[in-house]
Amino acid sequence: MNEYEDEFSAEQSAHRLDDMEVVPTGVLSELVTRDGACMWLTAGPEEPEWAGDEATDREVAARICAGCGVRDACLELEFRTAGFATVGV
Ligand code: SF4
């Protein structure tokens, strides 16, 4: 992604977050916990073994988030609850 695409993407994200401004925090929370892709991941009853995967936690999270249908709601909720200093993906 080049500098122009980054800027354009950030601007689009900002517009989408503006649309989320009127959504109550409780509704955002319900959406994210009900439909968030990460909410339905399971490794089964046993703790998973280390697979030696070189991917960092952030890279793995980014792959999961990329296919999530409630990214905007999740980001807006994160800003409301953690502020702009969030470390989320
Ligand atoms: S955007 Fe990522 S962190 Fe947020 S609900 Fe979706 S998968 Fe989970």
Side-chain angles (χ1 to χ4, degrees):
M1 190 177 277
N2 64 36
E3 189 176 315
Y4 171 76
E5 289 171 329
D6 277 348
E7 205 170 291
F8 184 68
S9 178
E11 192 176 320
Q12 285 182 323
S13 291
H15 284 302
R16 289 197 311 271
L17 291 184
D18 284 347
D19 293 340
M20 292 280 169
E21 195 175 35
V22 297
V23 180
T25 301
V27 172
L28 290 175
S29 179
E30 195 176 309
L31 270 173
V32 169
T33 54
R34 188 191 68 196
D35 298 337
C38 61
M39 299 294 168
W40 299 101
L41 294 176
T42 178
E46 303 293 324
E47 187 174 317
E49 290 185 28
W50 291 103
D53 192 343
E54 293 293 321
T56 64
D57 289 349
R58 189 176 182 84
E59 289 167 338
V60 172
R63 279 188 234 152
I64 296 165
C65 294
C68 181
V70 292
R71 284 181 296 178
D72 293 338
C74 182
L75 184 58
E76 176 67 17
L77 183 62
E78 183 72 5
F79 283 150
R80 288 186 195 180
T81 57
F84 291 101
T86 179
V87 292
V89 174

